[in-house]
Amino acid sequence: MTQVNEASLISTLLDRIGGLGCIQPNYLGKATIQVNADSIRKIIEILLKSDNTAVIVAITGLDLLEKLGLMYHLRTHGSIVTVRTEVPKDNPRISTITDLIPGANFHEREVADLLGVVFQGHPNLARLVLPDDWPKNLYPLRKDADLQEVTAKLDSCLCSTQPEIEQKQAQKETGLVNIVVGPQHPALLEPEKFSLTVDGETVKVVEPRIGYVHRGIEKASEQRTYLQDIYLVERICGICNSCHAVAFAGAVEKILKTEVPTRAKYIRTIILELNRLHSHLLVLGHAGLEIGYETLFQYMWRDREPIMDLTELLTGNRVVSSSMTVGGVRRDLKEADVPKIKTQLDILKKKLVFYQSLFQNETSLKMRTQKVGFLSTEDALKLCVVGPVPRASGVNTDVRKDEPYEAYGEIPFRTVTRTEGDTYARLMVRLDELNESINIIEYALDNMPTGPFRVRVPRIVTAGEAINRVEAPRGELFHYVKSNGTAYPERVKVRTPTFANLPAFLKTAIGESIADIPANFVSLDPCFSCTDR
Amino acid sequence: MRSLATWARLKSPWVLHFNSGACNGCDIEIVALLTPRYDVERFGIKLEPSPRHADVLLTSGAVTRQCAERLKRIYDQMPEPKFVVAIGACACSGGVFKGNYTILGGVDKVIPVNAYIPGCPPKPEAIIDGVVKLLNSLQQPKSEGKQ
């Protein structure tokens, strides 16, 4: 995606939008457009038509006491444009945009679930993340929601045993069989439920039920200080924890208008890339396991261990690094560690040559993954998927290139894309990205600037709001932080990559053989602790 | 016969892993146990997908409201004698998520726990140590398995 200069982008927007809303440039992305709730569809339609690669990144809902605010964040021309509107709290209704862009489906459902906004015309506003037995008309993200009663009664939720296996009678007549996978299932590491309707071997319908790992992190972060929140958002996901920490810290730094020292930026970049290395090795190994190639799984995870050691060497922790803070990093990089890191990366680089030839020549691996789970370029854009998934379908999108953060603007690297759009391509994109990550780390180590690694920042953050995007291993990670001038944030919104990628699975699984489902599913690199938060 | 069963359990405990609302940190470390560096299969520890064949339940996560019922059900499906290991700070007490609106806060709120392994996440060595301590405690049936 090409960088379009701000002035021309905004003037184009102004032309197209006319008198529908007022534009605030350089606010929450490239521009924020304030509109009436009635004209939301019109504006989104104009924005989508003005750029055929435009997608919905997130829909943020927030409680403005008398009203409920809604923000539609769109990615257009490689940057974010926010459309902002308000609905009354006693009658929160707005028309859906799911028919304009199908990728908005889950975003709208989440806002409906947590804030109680009714999206009129939405195909299915069923419960998404909250528990099955959650009381009706209690929306946890509203400021006036009384959660104490629910929290006090948590133990009593054990008494009810809901029958889960149902829908048996209707199936006999149609010949379709319903297979429920999860919440505890050998193929899933995480507790989620997928209800597959199959006709013989072919999958007809996939119904996901997420929310088993919903821990209410967005609400909890409103009750903790900014510094505490860094450790909380890190624990959204144990795999891409540094990305969450950087995304959150970056958003707070934007509100504070703090410039992070260059050395801290480089150290952050190295930690982020180590994160990507271990996450990609993890998923490639996991894919091997799912296609019945356990040797690949063991090999990949063996080679992942040195990366974990490097993370421990740099940050003090193997998994959850806890090395980020607002204003920089908590630990400096020791000069003595540089050769150790380089040696390990060299070893991994040599092993990658072997994996490359393995993925290119191993017939059984190709047979299980090629032409499986095909996702076309148009579908990738329509479903608003992020990260390696659209990159494997020929969409050149990478936050590191589009809107460079930390040190990525100064480091040369290549965005890996492929055009096949199948499971194989998605795995190959990740395999090639491993090489790029190693190059980025090596470049950052060679060009490490001197100077401080953190700056002091005030504990109380000035009022304001900011968005921040980070290219996590699974794709674009989006954080929105709103501060009201106290020590606690007013709203933290996290849109995780898997949440955006889930529609791709529902699309690609249809018409597939049931035996191909695991490989297809894993190639999206799903992470449900991210999705549910 | 009982001593034979105890011997078998000590020499090859089959473990079941259940994530009851964790961040994946502990879960990945549990899977890492099976991979070449830690390779717990050399001690006969085998990851078993079905609760009906498992001796030890490795639980991670702070137990969400949606998962609590399932955790209880999985525990009930396991044959006696059964042992539960709570892995990670969340599984021990709720960790950073304690007090959130969907969090019960600890595996022991739902099912009895034999061993607690704290850490966020605990290192694989710590998990091995915890499981070995639990197994050792089986040899002296009178002592409690808490570490």
Side-chain angles (χ1 to χ4, degrees):
Chain A
M1 247 169 252
T2 49
Q3 290 277 331
V4 176
N5 79 49
E6 253 155 66
S8 77
L9 175 71
I10 288 158
S11 66
T12 341
L13 281 177
L14 262 177
D15 286 351
R16 286 173 198 272
I17 285 154
L20 283 174
C22 74
I23 298 187
Q24 206 177 349
N26 279 331
Y27 193 67
L28 299 182
K30 283 284 175 220
T32 298
I33 309 163
Q34 180 87 35
V35 297
N36 268 333
D38 308 333
S39 44
I40 189 80
R41 277 178 65 91
K42 222 177 252 174
I43 294 276
I44 301 280
E45 207 167 1
I46 293 170
L47 284 169
L48 290 175
K49 273 191 185 149
S50 69
D51 174 14
N52 57 5
T53 59
V55 296
I56 281 273
V57 171
I59 300 177
T60 308
L62 69 168
D63 191 341
L64 304 170
L65 298 179
E66 268 112 54
K67 288 181 168 183
L68 293 176
L70 283 173
M71 282 185 279
Y72 296 73
H73 308 279
L74 278 91
R75 185 174 68 229
T76 166
H77 301 292
S79 185
I80 297 281
V81 170
T82 302
V83 183
R84 194 168 206 160
T85 184
E86 283 164 7
V87 288
K89 208 173 193 174
D90 46 357
N91 183 26
R93 285 172 186 280
I94 193 161
S95 47
T96 180
I97 56 160
T98 304
D99 49 332
L100 299 176
I101 181 145
N105 186 336
F106 279 86
H107 297 298
E108 288 189 346
R109 268 176 83 176
E110 194 205 48
V111 177
D113 213 1
L114 296 175
L115 270 151
V117 178
V118 180
F119 291 88
Q120 287 172 315
H122 189 283
N124 175 19
L125 270 186
R127 187 145 274 179
L128 188 68
V129 289
L130 288 178
D132 291 329
D133 55 347
W134 189 259
K136 270 189 180 167
N137 299 325
L138 180 66
Y139 304 109
L141 283 184
R142 288 199 185 177
K143 297 280 178 202
D144 52 7
D146 184 18
L147 297 169
Q148 268 181 348
E149 208 179 313
V150 188
T151 325
K153 279 194 202 149
L154 269 174
D155 292 340
S156 67
C157 70
L158 278 174
C159 329
S160 63
T161 329
Q162 305 112 325
E164 245 178 44
I165 298 148
E166 71 283 308
Q167 307 154 329
K168 278 266 159 95
Q169 304 87 359
Q171 292 156 13
K172 277 189 185 150
E173 290 149 30
T174 51
L176 301 176
V177 180
N178 199 4
I179 302 176
V180 179
V181 180
Q184 194 270 337
H185 193 268
L188 295 169
L189 277 178
E190 293 169 87
E192 299 298 339
K193 196 165 86 182
F194 289 93
S195 162
L196 311 169
T197 308
V198 292
D199 182 5
E201 286 278 294
T202 321
V203 178
K204 292 286 176 196
V205 185
V206 186
E207 272 292 321
R209 173 67 174 98
I210 63 171
Y212 285 86
V213 207
H214 180 62
R215 289 150 289 167
I217 290 178
E218 289 184 4
K219 181 77 177 178
S221 56
E222 293 168 12
Q223 292 145 4
R224 287 162 172 80
T225 64
Y226 289 92
L227 210 55
Q228 289 172 326
D229 273 344
I230 289 198
Y231 305 108
L232 185 66
V233 296
E234 252 188 344
R235 282 157 182 82
I236 289 175
C237 174
I239 303 173
C240 46
N241 54 74
S242 313
C243 306
H244 282 283
V246 169
F248 180 81
V252 178
E253 282 150 11
K254 275 184 190 171
I255 300 176
L256 283 167
K257 298 193 173 65
T258 307
E259 185 62 28
V260 178
T262 338
R263 189 174 172 85
K265 286 184 178 173
Y266 271 77
I267 297 174
R268 278 184 180 182
T269 308
I270 292 173
I271 295 171
L272 287 175
E273 288 308 317
L274 283 175
N275 229 240
R276 190 182 321 278
L277 280 177
H278 102 77
S279 176
H280 279 1
L281 285 169
L282 182 151
V283 74
L284 289 170
H286 194 187
L289 190 67
E290 295 299 344
I291 59 170
Y293 195 170
E294 205 181 326
T295 321
L296 183 69
F297 165 67
Q298 299 283 359
Y299 272 27
M300 285 285 184
W301 280 61
R302 178 197 66 193
D303 294 336
R304 179 179 160 269
E305 284 299 327
I307 303 296
M308 308 306 283
D309 291 345
L310 291 184
T311 317
E312 191 175 355
L313 186 77
L314 261 168
T315 68
N317 277 323
R318 249 173 75 88
V319 179
V320 181
S321 69
S322 292
S323 58
M324 307 298 168
T325 187
V326 180
V329 288
R330 288 177 59 217
R331 270 187 178 212
D332 200 3
L333 172 78
K334 290 188 206 79
E335 274 311 310
D337 291 342
V338 175
K340 287 184 205 161
I341 301 174
K342 282 192 171 169
T343 323
Q344 285 300 344
L345 291 180
D346 270 345
I347 296 172
L348 180 63
K349 219 174 189 175
K350 281 181 197 129
K351 288 189 173 151
L352 285 181
V353 179
F354 163 70
Y355 290 129
Q356 287 278 1
S357 75
L358 190 143
F359 270 79
Q360 276 157 11
N361 302 322
E362 182 64 42
T363 342
S364 61
L365 193 150
K366 282 168 127 176
M367 278 163 72
R368 287 300 309 272
T369 53
Q370 277 180 340
K371 299 197 174 75
V372 169
F374 174 72
L375 186 72
S376 67
T377 313
E378 295 77 47
D379 282 340
L381 288 168
K382 250 199 288 181
L383 297 172
C384 309
V385 290
V386 294
V389 181
R391 285 204 284 275
S393 295
V395 183
N396 187 356
T397 162
D398 190 333
V399 187
R400 294 176 292 173
K401 279 272 187 233
D402 296 341
E403 230 172 23
Y405 54 96
E406 306 312 331
Y408 287 111
E410 299 162 26
I411 299 173
F413 68 98
R414 181 172 68 92
T415 309
V416 183
T417 52
R418 287 181 85 92
T419 48
E420 298 99 311
D422 55 4
T423 299
Y424 180 73
R426 293 197 275 274
L427 296 178
M428 282 306 280
V429 164
R430 294 202 174 87
L431 192 60
D432 291 339
E433 278 183 7
L434 287 174
N435 255 325
E436 292 302 315
S437 287
I438 294 177
N439 291 342
I440 293 173
I441 298 175
E442 280 176 346
Y443 183 93
L445 286 173
D446 289 337
N447 297 282
M448 178 67 71
T450 50
F453 60 93
R454 67 186 287 187
V455 286
R456 280 199 161 272
V457 289
R459 294 215 162 193
I460 291 177
V461 177
T462 42
E465 50 191 338
I467 57 167
N468 200 24
R469 295 191 296 155
V470 164
E471 183 76 19
R474 291 169 177 72
E476 176 192 39
L477 169 69
F478 174 94
H479 274 237
Y480 164 85
V481 181
K482 185 179 184 190
S483 152
N484 54 6
T486 60
Y488 305 93
E490 192 176 310
R491 174 86 168 94
V492 178
K493 155 88 185 173
V494 182
R495 201 280 282 125
T496 54
T498 310
F499 190 80
N501 281 342
L502 201 56
F505 172 64
L506 307 184
K507 166 90 189 164
T508 54
I510 312 280
E512 293 266 304
S513 159
I514 192 153
D516 287 333
I517 293 291
N520 177 12
F521 186 49
V522 168
S523 76
L524 302 172
D525 203 355
C527 169
F528 287 104
S529 42
C530 271
T531 315
D532 296 350
R533 285 150 287 139
Chain B
M1 192 62 202
R2 177 172 288 174
S3 67
L4 181 69
T6 313
W7 173 82
R9 206 164 288 128
L10 288 176
K11 293 299 172 193
S12 180
W14 285 17
V15 300
L16 168 75
H17 166 226
F18 183 68
N19 173 342
S20 68
C23 75
N24 259 342
C26 299
D27 312 277
I28 298 297
E29 293 294 64
I30 293 169
V31 181
L33 288 180
L34 304 172
T35 55
R37 180 177 289 183
Y38 301 102
D39 192 18
V40 289
E41 274 186 27
R42 68 202 148 115
F43 303 129
I45 299 177
K46 188 171 166 287
L47 200 65
E48 169 58 40
S50 165
R52 296 189 196 279
H53 303 154
D55 301 310
V56 181
L57 176 63
L58 304 178
T59 324
S60 57
V63 189
T64 60
R65 191 182 167 127
Q66 180 86 341
C67 273
E69 181 64 41
R70 279 76 184 172
L71 179 62
K72 183 94 178 46
R73 210 182 294 169
I74 283 168
Y75 180 75
D76 291 342
Q77 285 175 1
M78 284 170 64
E80 290 280 353
K82 48 196 168 187
F83 307 97
V84 179
V85 183
I87 294 173
C90 300
C92 293
S93 68
V96 280
F97 307 122
K98 198 169 188 173
N100 290 9
Y101 58 84
T102 53
I103 295 294
L104 267 78
V107 175
D108 52 7
K109 294 266 159 58
V110 185
I111 52 175
V113 175
N114 297 84
Y116 296 89
I117 305 172
C120 189
K123 291 186 79 165
E125 290 92 332
I127 302 178
I128 298 177
D129 186 45
V131 174
V132 168
K133 273 189 179 152
L134 172 76
L135 294 178
N136 284 341
S137 77
L138 299 185
Q139 282 175 322
Q140 306 109 29
K142 273 174 197 166
S143 68
E144 278 290 299
K146 288 189 181 180
Q147 74 169 66

